[in-house]
Amino acid sequence: MDSEITHNTALQEVLNTLEVDRKKIADTHTTCYILFGLAVVILIVGLLLSFPVLGIIGGLVSALIGIIMYYMIDDDVVQYKTTYKTNVVASALKGINETLTITPQSGLPEYEFISSELFTTDPDRYKTQDLVSGKADKTSFWFAEVHAEYKTETRTKNGTRTEWHTIFKGIVFVADFNKNFEVSTVVRPKGVGAAIGAWFSKNVFSFGNTEVIQLENTIFDDIFVTYSKNQIEARYILTPAMMERILDLNNKSEDTISLSFINSKMYVAFPLSTNYFEPPIHSSLLVPDLLTDDLSIVQFMHDIVHELDLNTRIWGKE
């Protein structure tokens, strides 16, 4: 895929222009870092030579110039990143599938993240970007980067301390199943909390009339807990072949995935630490492996449609 980029003359021209912008930003950032370092040196020298006032003033002036320069170049950084995504990444995606598009400022809406039922905690802070959408044969799909957090507030002697905790950071993939499910079926990693919850709902009572489904695949049941209000529909979705495909998909993922089948959609959450589709600032754009990681994650998401055999319309809808 990278060889296609190398031989794409129009794309190379865009990269050459962006490389000039990148160097300007990188040089400005480097100057800012030098000014911040200089501020520390001036302060230390001032204190050592018993001129604390001069040291503080000199340090502040140097730091202030660095901060002003950093923020003045900020608009250029935003423009550089947007141009990179809308021109370079968007063009490269066509090499995987002609229907693929990227919308940097869009993502997965918060209401959809919540209604996916992939997570038990609603976010207090929600960020999403880089919506990629396309179609593989008959199946429409889209995915975006998501960072969802909840906050806790603790009373201390100095007031209230607010702490932020990650609910999920990674990519949420959505595919249209072209079938309205009667109820929701959710497959989550079998952590300690999930295992205890599953035991309670199986042995004591059902949470909101949602039951834990015991499936025939013991490896699948060791890794995941499956919840649904309808055993028959859950088994209709999670066929032996589908469970094997989900296990294969999970093996290729960095961390344990979560899935849900709700309304007419399938959601898959992939926990990931990497922030994709971001252009480098302190290294060259003119390298052959520039988009290797970005394109490999897109290819991985694109192949889910085939991995899970979503184009086979067992659901009775074309």
Side-chain angles (χ1 to χ4, degrees), residues 30-91:
T30 303
T31 304
C32 294
Y33 302 147
I34 290 167
L35 286 166
F36 295 147
L38 192 61
V40 175
V41 171
I42 291 169
L43 182 61
I44 292 168
V45 170
L47 293 171
L48 289 174
L49 297 178
S50 301
F51 294 113
V53 175
L54 283 175
I56 291 166
I57 292 169
L60 278 173
V61 168
S62 181
L64 196 61
I65 294 167
I67 291 166
I68 291 166
M69 285 180 69
Y70 200 90
Y71 278 99
M72 280 179 70
I73 200 79
D74 198 48
D75 286 345
D76 291 353
V77 174
V78 172
Q79 185 59 50
Y80 165 69
K81 288 183 176 182
T82 304
T83 305
Y84 174 80
K85 290 175 183 181
T86 52
N87 291 2
V88 180
V89 176
S91 179

Side-chain angles (χ1 to χ4, degrees), residues 113-122 167 184-195 197-198 201 207 210-213 215 219-228 238 246-247 250 255-262 267-269 271:
F113 177 85
I114 294 166
S115 66
S116 73
E117 295 184 26
L118 290 167
F119 307 97
T120 53
T121 308
D122 286 353
I167 299 167
S184 59
T185 296
V186 182
V187 178
R188 292 200 192 104
K190 188 178 258 184
V192 176
S201 63
F207 290 115
T210 297
E211 295 180 3
V212 172
I213 310 297
L215 297 159
I219 298 169
F220 191 90
D221 271 353
D222 284 344
I223 296 170
F224 301 107
V225 181
T226 305
Y227 302 90
S228 183
L238 297 167
I246 290 170
L247 286 170
N250 189 58
D255 216 333
T256 310
I257 62 177
S258 305
L259 303 94
S260 64
F261 303 84
I262 291 171
Y267 296 86
V268 190

Side-chain angles (χ1 to χ4, degrees), residues 93-104:
L93 293 182
K94 301 295 180 188
I96 295 173
N97 180 324
E98 272 296 324
T99 68
L100 286 174
T101 60
I102 182 167
T103 316

Side-chain angles (χ1 to χ4, degrees), residues 178-213:
N178 281 345
K179 159 73 166 70
N180 239 349
F181 304 118
E182 295 294 322
V183 298
S184 59
T185 296
V186 182
V187 178
R188 292 200 192 104
K190 188 178 258 184
V192 176
I196 292 167
W199 185 89
F200 266 98
S201 63
K202 187 166 174 280
N203 295 284
V204 185
F205 55 87
S206 291
F207 290 115
N209 201 27
T210 297
E211 295 180 3
V212 172
I213 310 297

